[in-house]
Structures are given as C-alpha cells and as structure tokens.
Amino acid sequence: MDVKSAFLKGELEEEVYVAQPEGFEVQGQKHLVYRLSKALYGLKQAPRAWNILLDRSPKELGFIRCSQEQAVYTRGAGSAALIVGVYVDDLIVIGGNSREVKLFKQQMMTEFERSDLGLLSYYLGIEVEQKKGQINLKQSAYAKKILSQFGMIESNATKYPM
C-alpha cells in the first residue's frame, strides 16, 4: 500500500519560513518570506511530521507499536491478527484473514489517499514470491547487482568455496 503525497500531509510543530519560489515572487515584495503551515517535499522536518501523523492513525485503529521495531504495528491475535510494516510512505499489511486486511485498507483509505499495490512482490531489495501455503523470499537481483559491480557476473558457481 502506498500513501499518495505523504510528506505533504504532515503538520509542522515549529515555525518554518521559506523564500518565495523563483517565478512566483510577489512584485515589490521579493524580500518577504512565506510561513509554512504544512510540510513540503525536501523540507528537513517533512519526514518527522509525516511519521507523527502516520503513527497516530494505526493507534486510533487499535494497533500497538512494536517496542523493538518502531516501524511495525500489530493488532489482534490468531487468525485475526494484522501486522503492518511501514517504510517511509509504503505500508506492508500482513494477516491471516483477508477480510481483516481489507477492512484495514478501507480504514486507512478514510485517513489517507492511497494506492493498493496488490500482493507484495518486491520490497527493499527482497523479491517476494507468494504461492498457496508458502512465501518465498529471494535476493537474486541484489546478488546479481553485487556480482556485476565487482566484475564477477560471468563467474562460475561452485558448491564449495576455495
């Protein structure tokens, strides 16, 4: 799940001023600056403002933030359990009950405009292959990138290293 325009939704906790953008200066008042009320892309405070906003939403939906991994939220137990992993503006939703997953996505839709990217297939360099009853994780693309980077793409594989 991808949240659209995530960094533009965060509320700023402090006063932030920016110069007038080139091409949009007010004639005769070019020396004045704008005070921002919301975060902008590229603003140092934008990721933090977005994270504060995002942290509030799952908690309001009954999720608990993991104390060991701040980007993971959990709700429920057993087959109704949901796990949500957050990476910037992407959410990975894991659950044993498809109705619970769908309900969560609908709940998040009321908070944020988002794109549902379907079943997870690739995330942070890890290829995810989902089949009935199993999930396979691979990093073959990453391994090929490293081999290529060091000029070893044509090397022969061996069972036992020398």
Side-chain angles (χ1 to χ4, degrees):
M1 217 166 72
D2 178 62
V3 178
K4 294 181 181 179
S5 306
F7 282 72
L8 302 178
K9 299 189 185 325
E11 299 286 336
L12 296 172
E13 293 180 345
E14 60 277 317
E15 289 186 12
V16 177
Y17 297 90
V18 295
Q20 295 182 41
E22 195 173 307
F24 293 94
E25 298 98 348
V26 178
Q27 280 301 57
Q29 299 180 343
K30 291 183 180 182
H31 64 285
L32 297 178
V33 294
Y34 291 117
R35 179 177 176 215
L36 298 179
S37 58
K38 293 238 182 207
L40 293 174
Y41 282 101
L43 190 65
K44 288 181 186 178
Q45 294 88 338
R48 178 78 180 130
W50 161 243
N51 188 266
I52 289 169
L53 179 64
L54 178 63
D55 182 54
R56 197 176 316 134
S57 295
K59 287 179 178 177
E60 289 172 357
L61 296 174
F63 282 82
I64 299 169
R65 191 176 199 174
C66 179
S67 59
Q68 289 80 26
E69 178 52 65
Q70 298 292 302
V72 175
Y73 297 82
T74 59
R75 176 176 78 184
S79 64
L82 280 180
I83 301 170
V84 176
V86 178
Y87 181 73
V88 188
D89 63 348
D90 294 327
L91 306 177
I92 295 179
V93 185
I94 303 164
N97 184 323
S98 59
R99 281 180 285 155
E100 287 292 322
V101 171
K102 190 174 182 176
L103 174 64
F104 170 73
K105 289 179 178 182
Q106 289 171 344
Q107 290 170 327
M108 288 301 285
M109 185 67 118
T110 63
E111 285 288 320
F112 307 107
E113 187 179 349
R114 60 159 181 84
S115 299
D116 188 350
L117 304 175
L119 287 176
L120 184 65
S121 60
Y122 192 83
Y123 192 73
L124 298 177
I126 300 172
E127 299 161 65
V128 182
E129 185 181 301
Q130 299 184 44
K131 297 178 182 176
K132 189 172 179 96
Q134 68 181 29
I135 298 174
N136 296 314
L137 304 176
K138 300 186 284 186
Q139 286 190 294
S140 53
Y142 177 70
K144 287 177 184 173
K145 177 184 170 191
I146 297 297
L147 288 171
S148 178
Q149 182 179 345
F150 291 98
M152 299 178 65
I153 199 76
E154 299 299 323
S155 298
N156 295 326
T158 181
K159 190 172 183 177
Y160 303 105
M162 296 174 88

